[in-house]
Amino acid sequence: MAQEVVPAEAAGTGTTRARNRFSGLDLLAFALLGTGLLAVVTRLVPPAGALATGRRILPILIFLGTVIVLAELAARAELFDVIATRLTGWARGRNVALFALCFGFAAATTALLNLDTTAVLLTPVMLAMAARAGVPPLPLAMTTIWLANGASLLLPVSNLTNLLAADRIGLSVGGFAGAMVLPQAAVLAAVGACLWIFYWRGNPARYTPPAPVRPRDRRLLLSATAACTAFLLGVLWGERLELVSAVCALVLIAAYACWDRAALRWSLLPWRLLVLVTGLFLTVEAVGRLGLADLMSAMIGVDPGAVGVVRAAVTSGLLANAVNNLPAYVAGEAVVAAGHRDQLLGLLLGANVAPLVTAWASLATLLWAQRCQAAGVRIGWGRFAATGAVTGAAALAAGTAVLLLAR
């Protein structure tokens, strides 16, 4: 493994030059959107169905776009760097304590913001922490991506699939958290054990804590802290997610307009992600009309009991690693009866925590891999797949068992 990492600013806490070039992910996004639009033009997806899909995903697109703008500007204000460096100092040079703090930081970022924010912004911060502390970067990188997926069950905001499930079941933020808190705890225990065994226990027992970060502009740091705090409070209060994220992003944009206008560029808007999500939804609807729905129905079944929950969880986990977690959930949701709440939650659990094997299993993994490559950290995909398969299976088994016991 290459050990060289670059500072957080260069690695991509803000907008990087690499993001201005087209990549394989961009081509995938355009291909999916083109396929979806072709399905609409040829009426494989009727116009009424396309409009219904558009109405459903519009709030999600607003949320995704604004929350990532909020997080990008918060990262430029060095909020994440300040937090990460302080956590590194709090560990007092001990590997075990650093593991616990990195684990908690990544889990909290995923749960309270979302998994894509963790992949995009926390990855370079973690790698910068490794460079400053003189520790191997791979354990911190793997902590980031495994918790980006594994810690994304708790709140609707944590994962795009959660937003869809909460809407389908009709759960409030509190109701959703109440249903998923115990499965989430079980998943975190499994992921934590695997992270320690596979990646952390071989680290040196001690490291040298880095010097504190001195923010370039305390006004922007305070503004970012206030905006992110308001966002978290709004989410916990139960306000509409797209409204909360939009308002908080606009507040931080206003602060930058006063003190760092040059940072406000159109490239802050994650249009690639928005194109990809739109294309995924249209394409999945088209493929569903070509027979995917029948296949998913046969694999998941109609049993609302324990067997049906397990089948839904395993099916969505396998399909997520084969294709991607978003279409896996959407395709499964289409064949689960509206009243089968536990089966739908099992489907969600598989789509969220199992996609740890392939690079394309979740959008967060693709974004994470790009950030690692930009930072000079090469990923051994054979080891990634092998350890991810064990961890994904353990996390899925633990979470599903607790979900069934808590019924």
Side-chain angles (χ1 to χ4, degrees):
M1 292 294 171
Q3 301 299 314
E4 178 186 359
V5 296
V6 296
E9 303 86 59
T13 47
T15 301
T16 66
R17 287 182 296 174
R19 291 176 62 195
N20 292 326
R21 298 193 297 266
F22 288 108
S23 65
L25 185 60
D26 300 330
L27 297 178
L28 175 63
F30 286 123
L32 287 170
L33 182 62
T35 301
L37 292 177
L38 180 63
V40 175
V41 169
T42 59
R43 293 185 176 269
L44 175 60
V45 175
L51 287 174
T53 297
R55 285 193 296 268
R56 187 181 188 193
I57 68 173
L58 180 59
I60 295 170
L61 295 177
I62 294 172
F63 164 72
L64 283 176
T66 54
V67 78
I68 290 182
V69 169
L70 172 66
E72 288 276 10
L73 292 177
R76 184 178 176 86
E78 299 177 284
L79 175 61
F80 293 132
D81 290 274
V82 169
I83 295 171
T85 305
R86 289 183 179 177
L87 289 174
T88 311
W90 291 344
R92 298 184 182 276
R94 295 171 296 169
N95 181 56
V96 173
L98 182 63
F99 166 68
L101 289 168
C102 289
F103 186 95
F105 186 28
T109 302
T110 299
L112 298 175
L113 293 176
N114 69 17
L115 76 166
D116 296 323
T117 297
T118 298
V120 170
L121 298 175
L122 198 58
T123 301
V125 172
M126 288 285 201
L127 296 179
M129 287 171 60
R132 293 188 183 108
V135 300
L138 188 61
L140 283 84
M142 293 304 300
T143 298
T144 306
I145 190 55
W146 279 7
L147 287 169
N149 290 289
S152 65
L153 282 172
L154 186 59
L155 298 172
V157 70
S158 308
N159 199 323
L160 176 57
T161 53
N162 296 0
L163 293 172
L164 300 174
D167 178 65
R168 172 74 180 274
I169 304 173
L171 288 174
S172 65
V173 172
F176 188 93
M180 301 306 290
V181 63
L182 294 179
Q184 178 67 92
V187 168
L188 289 178
V191 172
C194 290
L195 272 172
W196 179 259
I197 293 169
F198 291 135
Y199 290 101
W200 279 86
R201 67 174 177 170
N203 280 2
R206 305 288 302 183
Y207 67 91
T208 302
V213 171
R214 296 181 180 273
R216 291 184 296 268
D217 191 324
R218 293 191 63 83
R219 298 169 301 182
L220 290 175
L221 177 62
L222 292 174
S223 298
T225 303
C228 289
T229 301
F231 171 75
L232 298 179
L233 292 175
V235 169
L236 296 175
W237 190 259
E239 294 293 336
R240 290 169 52 190
L241 296 175
E242 71 274 16
L243 177 62
V244 173
S245 61
V247 170
C248 293
L250 287 173
V251 168
L252 193 50
I253 287 171
Y256 271 88
C258 294
W259 299 313
D260 188 8
R261 189 180 296 270
L264 299 177
R265 301 185 178 95
W266 284 109
S267 57
L268 285 171
L269 187 67
W271 61 267
R272 294 170 171 86
L273 177 59
L274 304 183
V275 169
L276 179 65
V277 170
T278 304
L280 270 174
F281 272 88
L282 290 174
T283 301
V284 167
E285 184 167 350
V287 174
R289 294 173 184 271
L290 292 174
L292 179 61
D294 294 336
L295 175 63
M296 293 296 289
S297 181
M299 294 179 68
I300 293 174
V302 296
D303 181 4
V307 172
V309 172
V310 172
R311 288 178 63 173
V314 172
T315 298
S316 63
L318 292 173
L319 187 60
N321 283 295
V323 184
N324 181 271
N325 68 331
L326 181 58
Y329 173 79
V330 173
E333 183 194 66
V335 302
V336 174
H340 295 182
R341 194 191 87 156
D342 290 336
Q343 195 176 24
L344 188 66
L345 292 178
L347 182 80
L348 179 68
L349 200 152
N352 282 19
V353 308
L356 302 178
V357 181
T358 59
W360 56 84
S362 72
L363 176 60
T365 306
L366 291 170
L367 297 171
W368 169 83
Q370 287 181 334
R371 292 297 168 116
C372 287
Q373 182 180 26
V377 177
R378 292 192 302 271
I379 305 301
W381 290 107
R383 184 185 181 190
F384 179 93
T387 57
V390 174
T391 304
L396 184 60
T400 305
V402 172
L403 177 65
L404 293 174
L405 290 172
R407 294 173 68 193

